[in-house]
Amino acid sequence: MMKKNLPKDKLELIERLSKFKYIFAREFTIDDSLMERKLHTHDFGLLNCVKKGIVRIATETDSWVISHNTFFYLPPNIMHITEIIGECSVMAVFVPEHLNKTLPKEIAIMEFTPLFNAILERMSSWESDLNYNVEQQRLAKVAEDELQNAKAASFFHIPMPKDEKLQKTAKKILQSPEDMSSIETWAKFSGMSLRSFTRHFTDETGLAFTEWRQRVKIYTALKLLSENVSVSDVSFNLGYQNVSTFIAMFKGHMGCSPTEYIKNTGIS
């Protein structure tokens, strides 16, 4: 497979490729130094598969943590920030304009067949950038069919509340994920009764407060693990007195232990 470092003028390259009438795939090795630091938008659609490492996509109201063979689709004209956690390998799939009309209008995490993945692997090795031969065009058409039939996948999503008081609380927790303060304490911080706080938080995020806070801890854990922080130190940094409690929480969300996750994703 051909791997390239993402050039500094990557947006210009991506925009040029997005005008191509066929699906086009390349695998890039990138790091956070090449990411956009401010909210920005593109006028083209982009499908990415995280092959190694972790990517965080954030809009003004939501956040997604994406890793290990997970595809995410970024539609045109969506304000966002992309954060790379550690060195990351991403399969970038440039989506022709006519296909964007059939894909989600919001950021979506998607599930694809082994066939689609195999086609992308083949495409990523093609030397020609914008001159597909007849055989390549046929394969690109099959990839197009697979793309249009893709299903939504499970994903790690940290929705943000819109209420100003709740948003202040949410940002405080994001900044201090080790804080193990009680729900009652956070309700008081928000200037609400416990009942009002829990009800409004769930209404605005779709998650119970405890579940939402655990997702923040998971995201922080992923970032620390990618920096080669030990599992026991990650547990301590997240406010857990017992590492087994942290491991159980992590496994409940991610389906594997922190050590297994490191092995599967290759983030260390």
Side-chain angles (χ1 to χ4, degrees):
M1 178 189 302
M2 179 186 300
K3 288 189 177 183
K4 300 179 181 179
N5 288 325
L6 197 61
K8 291 184 178 180
D9 60 343
K10 62 184 183 305
L11 291 182
E12 181 180 333
L13 171 67
I14 292 172
E15 187 163 10
R16 180 171 63 89
L17 292 172
S18 71
K19 306 303 181 184
F20 192 39
K21 64 180 180 179
Y22 298 105
I23 291 175
F24 183 90
R26 276 292 181 270
E27 185 170 342
F28 297 107
T29 299
I30 52 181
D31 60 51
D32 196 44
S33 66
L34 295 173
M35 292 297 97
E36 296 290 334
R37 301 292 181 179
K38 298 179 180 179
L39 281 167
H40 64 285
T41 185
H42 309 148
D43 61 1
F44 48 84
L46 189 61
L47 178 71
N48 289 295
C49 178
V50 180
K51 307 295 287 185
K52 175 185 176 182
I54 300 168
V55 173
R56 175 177 174 263
I57 301 291
T59 64
E60 295 175 292
T61 58
D62 288 300
S63 181
W64 293 259
V65 179
I66 306 148
S67 67
H68 192 46
N69 287 335
T70 300
F71 283 89
F72 65 95
Y73 174 64
L74 184 63
N77 305 314
I78 296 289
M79 295 293 294
H80 68 283
I81 292 174
T82 304
E83 177 185 10
I84 298 297
I85 303 176
E87 185 178 278
C88 190
S89 180
V90 174
M91 179 75 78
V93 183
F94 307 99
V95 181
E97 187 175 355
H98 71 276
L99 288 180
N100 288 319
K101 299 174 183 178
T102 66
L103 294 172
K105 305 303 180 186
E106 302 292 338
I107 292 175
I109 312 304
M110 305 177 78
E111 187 174 87
F112 290 98
T113 64
L115 174 60
F116 186 72
N117 282 278
I119 293 173
L120 295 186
E121 295 285 344
R122 175 73 65 83
M123 283 182 166
S124 70
S125 68
W126 290 349
E127 294 290 343
S128 175
D129 281 355
L130 298 176
N131 292 300
Y132 282 180
N133 60 35
V134 174
E135 180 184 352
Q136 291 171 332
Q137 290 177 23
R138 286 199 300 266
L139 200 55
K141 285 294 185 181
V142 176
E144 181 175 318
D145 291 339
E146 291 292 301
L147 177 59
Q148 291 179 308
N149 292 323
K151 297 179 181 179
S154 60
F155 59 95
F156 201 70
H157 181 201
I158 305 176
M160 293 291 286
K162 295 179 175 60
D163 177 85
E164 186 175 336
K165 293 179 180 178
L166 293 178
Q167 195 171 105
K168 179 181 177 182
T169 298
K171 289 180 178 179
K172 178 70 173 176
I173 294 170
L174 283 167
Q175 292 168 357
S176 306
E178 76 285 352
D179 194 323
M180 300 292 273
S181 296
S182 66
I183 299 178
E184 289 81 2
T185 299
W186 288 116
K188 185 176 181 180
F189 179 82
S190 302
M192 298 180 178
S193 68
L194 176 61
R195 182 178 179 181
S196 179
F197 174 76
T198 55
R199 179 169 59 85
H200 285 295
F201 200 95
T202 300
D203 287 345
E204 296 215 5
T205 66
L207 297 170
F209 174 76
T210 301
E211 167 72 11
W212 187 92
R213 183 163 63 170
Q214 285 185 344
R215 291 195 183 192
V216 172
K217 289 182 180 295
I218 289 290
Y219 166 67
T220 307
L222 297 179
K223 187 168 186 176
L224 292 173
L225 290 170
S226 75
E227 297 168 353
N228 294 317
V229 178
S230 70
V231 174
S232 59
D233 284 346
V234 171
S235 174
F236 177 78
N237 288 337
L238 291 178
Y240 288 94
Q241 298 299 315
N242 191 320
V243 67
S244 61
T245 303
F246 162 68
I247 291 173
M249 186 275 293
F250 188 97
K251 192 170 184 177
H253 281 277
M254 305 303 294
C256 61
S257 70
T259 301
E260 291 169 334
Y261 188 84
I262 291 170
K263 181 179 179 180
N264 291 339
T265 59
I267 60 175
S268 62

